[in-house]
Amino acid sequence: MIYATEQICPYPDKLEPHPSNHVALYAWAGMSQTLETTVDDGLATVRLNRRHGNAINLDLVDELIATFHKLDADEAVRGVQLAAAGKLFSPGLDLQELIELDRSDMARFLERFNACILSLYTFPKPVVAAIHGHAIAGGCVLTLTADWRVLREERMIGLNEVRVGVPFPFGVAMILRESVQPRYLEEIALYGRNYRGEEAATVGLVHEVHAADGFEGHCRTRLESLADKDPAAFAITKRYLRAPTVERIMADEARLEVDFLDRWFSHETRTKIHAIVDELKGRG
């Protein structure tokens, strides 16, 4: 759920579609600073679009929750492609911002992050993750909520939290357990490796790898093939498949958040995070 680094964006009561031919652009009044959402022929694209490589902060988390809620309620939306702008999909948590939070504010962020992941994981419509750039730690976690994950060739994906001294939130661990090949679960979670290409597909972090040429078009085709199914049958089946994981998360996650916070605020972990932040600031 970790890495790399603006202003809080107000949320209006509703999204306003702005037609452009057959494409609708859903923009927050006051403009989103973290997402760009379009809907074309019933298929939405939610594109991470935040500075610092789409690093995850509270604004991004809250806007993801709100946007997926609106897309769920919009009967014209048949499915969602989760994508990103820039070179990276997401490097994970915005360490430069989050390291400055005290424990109560970090607890609030963690609660909202966990709510975001559960919201995406329980989204009833088809979701395809179009992973065009590196998706590390929290960036990888976002993609694990999707029904189908496509990684662009030569891009990396992985979960490196343990290398920084931060445990997975309980919900992330449960979703990971249900998402990857069981024989590779410990390797992915405990070694903190990043994977490329077919190796990422072999371990189960993604379902397939595709060349850069025609990448998003291929992801859209995948989404269309899911979205043309009966929506009620799809939603019910998806809910049944994910129900055991969701029930465990809802039963235990809140009481286990203290484990994450204790490690986050431990001297050893904060020393590592400060070193990473200093390196990032050194890069400009």
Side-chain angles (χ1 to χ4, degrees):
M1 209 181 66
I2 300 193
Y3 297 113
T5 196
E6 204 65 80
Q7 298 166 321
I8 295 177
C9 177
Y11 302 114
D13 292 335
K14 65 179 181 177
L15 289 169
E16 300 178 356
H18 301 277
S20 175
N21 298 324
H22 62 294
V23 178
L25 173 64
Y26 286 75
W28 296 109
M31 293 304 293
S32 166
Q33 297 192 29
T34 68
L35 297 176
E36 179 184 284
T37 303
T38 59
V39 179
D40 184 354
D41 193 25
L43 300 181
T45 298
V46 177
R47 194 177 302 278
L48 310 182
N49 190 16
R50 183 174 181 262
R51 289 172 29 172
H52 306 285
N54 302 313
I56 300 167
N57 71 344
L58 184 60
D59 293 349
L60 178 56
V61 163
D62 281 344
E63 289 193 11
L64 280 169
I65 293 171
T67 297
F68 272 79
H69 176 74
K70 297 293 185 181
L71 294 174
D72 182 15
D74 189 340
E75 295 181 358
V77 173
R78 300 180 293 124
V80 178
Q81 179 168 288
L82 181 62
K87 294 181 179 181
L88 303 179
F89 183 87
S90 173
L93 297 190
D94 186 341
L95 296 184
Q96 296 189 56
E97 185 171 313
L98 298 181
I99 193 63
E100 301 297 330
L101 300 184
D102 62 21
R103 187 173 177 114
S104 63
D105 286 339
M106 188 63 192
R108 176 172 176 261
F109 169 81
L110 179 62
E111 180 181 1
R112 296 300 290 164
F113 177 84
N114 288 339
C116 175
I117 298 305
L118 190 60
S119 177
L120 270 59
Y121 192 65
T122 57
F123 186 74
K125 301 176 184 181
V127 180
V128 169
I131 312 166
H132 82 292
H134 300 328
I136 309 301
C140 176
V141 172
L142 290 177
T143 72
L144 291 177
T145 65
D147 303 298
W148 196 261
R149 302 179 292 279
V150 186
L151 179 66
R152 181 174 158 183
E153 282 183 344
E154 300 304 319
R155 298 305 187 256
M156 292 192 302
I157 187 168
L159 296 161
N160 61 0
E161 283 83 346
V162 69
R163 290 163 52 189
V164 185
V166 178
F168 296 150
F170 179 75
V172 171
M174 294 301 98
I175 291 171
L176 178 66
R177 178 185 292 276
E178 292 302 314
S179 300
V180 303
Q181 294 294 329
R183 63 175 294 192
Y184 294 107
L185 176 61
E186 285 78 12
E187 177 183 310
I188 293 167
L190 301 180
Y191 278 90
R193 284 188 54 201
N194 294 324
Y195 299 83
R196 294 179 187 265
E198 291 303 326
E199 189 179 20
T202 297
V203 301
L205 284 172
V206 300
H207 294 94
E208 61 177 311
V209 179
H210 194 276
D213 187 33
F215 177 77
E216 285 213 1
H218 173 77
C219 294
R220 182 180 172 86
T221 298
R222 285 294 191 199
L223 180 58
E224 181 64 61
S225 69
L226 292 174
D228 70 1
K229 307 300 185 291
D230 178 83
F234 182 96
I236 292 169
T237 302
K238 178 175 178 177
R239 185 171 77 244
Y240 289 170
L241 289 174
R242 298 188 171 192
T245 300
V246 172
E247 289 168 3
R248 289 196 67 183
I249 293 171
M250 293 181 69
D252 294 322
E253 184 160 65
R255 70 178 179 83
L256 295 174
E257 287 178 351
V258 65
D259 293 338
F260 178 94
L261 293 169
D262 284 349
R263 291 312 305 160
W264 179 269
F265 285 97
S266 70
H267 173 74
E268 297 85 356
T269 296
R270 292 186 75 78
T271 297
K272 292 177 182 178
I273 294 175
H274 277 295
I276 294 169
V277 169
D278 288 344
E279 181 181 354
L280 292 169
K281 290 180 177 178
R283 295 176 188 172

